[in-house]
């Protein structure tokens, strides 16, 4: 059954729902387009899928298109992504050619006659050069640009400067010295998706059994893309430390986004690493109800990323009243209040991560207290209703400046 904004009134109240509908009405005559690099896999695609449906339901004509690119294109853009997070790269003319020609080819069969275009992340960034620009363009960057590889950023910046407005996850992610014309919009979760909706205990138990997880023993989990920056190998080292002190299980749930060619390599290596390790369960491309069940059943969720954009899996776990031990980097500290709904840790200090995890595992009272505060934190800050309102406000302001009304 198609979701409607009014379905969210139990979470945010009638008055907020009414306010969002009014703001949507102001934009009802406009046609707005999102462009990213994949329809499936990763937080950006998940957010766009849920938000686009609700935007149209409230009367705003919002479309969504994903880049079509070759494996070579996605290998190049993954290297760009890693370089923007500090990796080295050999920025050859061939890489630039593959990158730019993909946008040119995509633009040749993708018409853009919208009143506003929002481009997500570096993959479709050159698209703005492929059209006769007649509307505002926004670059929505989900990546931390605070300390990028300068060579790659200088190259990508040559496309970014043509945009009218920039949107980052948080002030700390904005590229230094680039532009003061940016807004902050934090990501969100949709509490009514299969992944996040409330489910009954028997359903949780059924899916745990299907995966070979023993619900009678403590469960530690990490849910992430199979990505080196999520550090699943470090999670294994932490688990080894905990196992010396406590009986528990580790569940690693991962996905492979279509725009990330390194995912399969990380997964294959992880399978080799856990060979012979007792009490470690790895699940690839789990369906949403399995993710929901594991997050609810877990005593602690780990998010031990080495680099991070925002990590919506933290909000997902907190919404299900599960404490999270997460890295003190990226957007994770905006979600975890240290000592209140989880713990913030140095991701490279395995002993610290293990100790904080064991603190939570050792106390059901602490788990319950942190769990309640975690859900309330998400309700206040990270639900899709707030996210929709942020975009409506930004679009209205930018179109007003452009005298489109």
């Amino acid at each position: 059954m198609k979701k409607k904004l009014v379905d969210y009134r139990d979470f945010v109240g009638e008055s907020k729902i009414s306010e969002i509908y009014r703001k949507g009405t102001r934009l009802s005559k406009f046609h707005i387009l999102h462009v990213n690099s994949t329809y499936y896999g990763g937080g950006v695609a998940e957010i766009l899928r849920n938000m686009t449906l609700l935007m149209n339901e409230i009367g705003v004509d919002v479309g969504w298109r994903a880049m079509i690119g070759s494996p070579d294109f996605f290998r190049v853009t993954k290297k760009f992504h890693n370089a923007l997070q500090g990796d080295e790269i050999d920025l050859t003319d061939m890489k630039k050619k593959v990158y730019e020609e993909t946008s040119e080819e995509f633009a040749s069969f993708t018409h853009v006659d919208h009143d506003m275009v929002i481009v997500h992340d570096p993959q479709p960034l050159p698209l703005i050069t492929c059209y006769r620009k007649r509307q505002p363009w926004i670059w929505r960057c989900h990546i931390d640009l605070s300390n990028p590889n300068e060579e790659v950023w200088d190259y990508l910046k040559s496309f970014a400067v043509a945009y009218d407005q920039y949107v980052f996850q948080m002030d700390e992610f904005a590229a230094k010295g680039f532009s003061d014309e940016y807004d902050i919009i934090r990501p969100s979760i949709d509490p009514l998706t299969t992944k996040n909706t409330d489910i009954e205990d028997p359903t949780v138990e059924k899916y745990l059994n299907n995966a070979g997880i023993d619900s009678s023993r403590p469960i530690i989990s990490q849910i992430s893309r199979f990505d080196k920056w999520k550090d699943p190998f470090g999670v294994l080292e932490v688990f080894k430390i905990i196992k010396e002190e406590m009986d528990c299980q580790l569940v690693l749930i991962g996905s492979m986004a279509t725009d990330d060619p390194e995912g399969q390599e990380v997964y294959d290596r992880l399978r080799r690493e856990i060979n012979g390790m007792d009490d470690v369960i790895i699940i690839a491309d789990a369906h949403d109800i399995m993710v929901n069940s594991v997050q609810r059943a877990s005593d602690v969720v780990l998010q031990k990323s080495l680099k991070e954009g925002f990590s919506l899996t933290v909000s997902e776990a907190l919404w299900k009243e599960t404490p999270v031990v997460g890295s003190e980097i990226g957007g994770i500290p905006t979600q975890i209040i240290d000592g209140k709904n989880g713990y913030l840790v140095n991701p490279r200090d395995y002993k610290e991560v293990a100790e904080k995890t064991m603190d939570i595992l050792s106390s059901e009272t602490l788990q319950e207290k942190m769990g309640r505060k975690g859900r309330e934190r998400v309700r206040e800050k990270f639900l899709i209703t707030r996210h929709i309102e942020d975009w409506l406000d930004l679009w209205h302001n930018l179109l007003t400046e452009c005298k489109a009304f």
Side-chain angles (χ1 to χ4, degrees):
M1 186 170 63
K2 182 180 177 181
K3 286 183 295 186
K4 298 181 178 181
L5 193 70
V6 294
D7 298 333
Y8 297 79
R9 57 192 166 194
D10 288 345
F11 306 119
V12 297
E14 294 274 7
S15 61
K16 176 55 67 178
I17 297 299
S18 297
E19 184 179 358
I20 295 172
Y21 271 116
R22 286 195 297 272
K23 289 183 176 182
T25 300
R26 297 185 307 184
L27 296 164
S28 61
K29 69 178 183 179
F30 297 106
H31 193 191
I32 294 167
L33 177 67
H34 287 282
V35 183
N36 77 320
S37 61
T38 178
Y39 285 122
Y40 294 99
V44 176
E46 186 171 334
I47 288 169
L48 288 176
R49 185 162 54 251
N50 298 326
M51 190 177 300
T52 301
L53 292 170
L54 287 171
M55 286 288 194
N56 280 277
E57 192 273 323
I58 66 173
V60 187
D61 190 358
V62 177
W64 171 28
R65 294 174 186 165
M67 286 281 289
I68 297 172
S70 67
D72 283 342
F73 169 73
F74 289 118
R75 277 192 286 270
V76 168
T77 55
K78 181 62 177 182
K79 289 181 184 296
F80 287 177
H81 181 278
N82 289 341
L84 289 173
Q85 299 193 116
D87 265 11
E88 294 299 318
I89 185 175
D90 181 13
L91 185 58
T92 63
D93 289 340
M94 180 58 71
K95 288 186 177 71
K96 295 178 182 179
K97 183 174 185 289
V98 169
Y99 180 57
E100 294 175 32
E101 284 186 351
T102 300
S103 280
E104 292 167 4
E105 291 169 2
F106 182 73
S108 71
F109 56 77
T110 305
H111 300 295
V112 172
D113 56 358
H114 303 71
D115 298 292
M116 181 178 292
V117 181
I118 302 96
V119 168
H120 293 258
D121 286 331
Q123 295 95 330
L125 185 60
L127 277 177
I128 195 169
T129 66
C130 303
Y131 295 94
R132 186 174 63 185
K133 182 174 177 292
R134 63 172 188 81
Q135 67 279 85
W137 284 59
I138 299 171
W139 187 41
R140 199 315 182 208
C141 183
H142 301 261
I143 303 170
D144 182 355
L145 296 182
S146 60
N147 189 31
N149 176 292
E150 290 296 337
E151 184 182 15
V152 166
W153 175 231
D154 283 344
Y155 169 61
L156 295 177
K157 193 162 49 176
S158 67
F159 304 107
V161 292
Y163 285 75
D164 300 281
Q165 190 72 12
Y166 310 96
V167 178
F168 297 103
Q169 315 270 42
M170 47 202 292
D171 284 304
E172 292 85 347
F173 281 17
K176 295 179 178 64
F178 172 57
S179 173
D180 294 329
E181 296 296 320
Y182 68 83
D183 285 89
I184 301 300
I185 296 181
R186 289 177 174 154
S188 64
I189 66 165
D190 184 340
L192 294 182
T193 60
T194 304
K195 186 192 288 187
N196 295 314
T197 193
D198 292 341
I199 53 177
E200 300 294 329
D201 290 343
T203 302
V204 172
E205 185 70 24
K206 180 180 78 171
Y207 282 94
L208 295 183
N209 288 337
N210 290 345
I213 303 167
D214 183 355
S215 61
S216 68
R217 298 167 57 214
I219 300 170
I220 304 167
S221 64
Q222 176 159 304
I223 294 91
S224 293
R225 285 182 295 109
F226 291 117
D227 185 320
K228 67 178 182 178
W229 300 115
K230 308 299 183 182
D231 197 24
F233 309 105
V235 171
L236 289 178
E237 296 304 313
V238 169
F239 180 67
K240 292 175 185 176
I241 296 172
I242 296 172
K243 279 290 287 183
E244 292 177 359
E245 304 287 336
M246 304 180 68
D247 174 49
C248 57
Q249 309 157 86
L250 174 64
V251 181
L252 296 171
I253 294 182
S255 62
M256 285 169 273
T258 56
D259 61 346
D260 184 357
E262 293 181 357
Q264 187 66 49
E265 299 169 17
V266 173
Y267 172 74
D268 291 342
R269 181 186 161 196
L270 198 55
R271 293 291 307 183
R272 292 193 296 271
E273 291 281 340
I274 69 171
N275 187 36
M277 288 184 66
D278 295 332
D279 297 323
V280 179
I281 297 167
I282 183 170
I283 307 173
D285 293 324
H287 44 76
D288 284 350
I289 197 166
M290 176 65 80
V291 174
N292 191 335
S293 298
V294 170
Q295 287 174 327
R296 287 182 187 281
S298 295
D299 298 275
V300 183
V301 166
L302 291 184
Q303 192 55 59
K304 208 189 75 60
S305 304
L306 302 175
K307 298 280 187 178
E308 190 56 78
F310 193 78
S311 188
L312 279 175
T313 54
V314 172
S315 281
E316 289 170 8
L318 295 176
W319 181 247
K320 300 171 181 77
E321 300 192 5
T322 303
V324 181
V325 175
S327 304
E328 51 191 1
I329 59 171
I332 295 176
T334 67
Q335 301 170 79
I336 297 175
I337 307 301
D338 191 37
K340 301 295 185 181
N341 57 11
Y343 289 117
L344 294 170
V345 294
N346 176 353
R348 299 183 187 277
D349 188 339
Y350 295 166
K351 184 177 179 182
E352 180 192 15
V353 180
E355 287 176 349
K356 294 297 187 182
T357 303
M358 287 189 286
D359 280 352
I360 297 172
L361 288 174
S362 301
S363 173
E364 288 188 12
T365 300
L366 183 60
Q367 289 176 32
E368 292 172 2
K369 182 178 178 181
M370 285 184 163
R372 289 193 298 272
K373 291 184 176 179
R375 185 176 175 95
E376 183 59 22
R377 175 73 175 169
V378 176
R379 190 191 67 77
E380 291 177 351
K381 300 288 186 179
F382 303 114
L383 292 186
I384 194 170
T385 44
R386 187 273 308 156
H387 201 168
I388 288 172
E389 190 172 16
D390 285 350
W391 275 119
L392 294 176
D393 289 341
L394 174 57
W395 294 342
H396 181 266
N397 292 339
L398 191 52
L399 287 166
T400 300
E401 290 174 9
C402 296
K403 297 181 172 58
F405 282 89

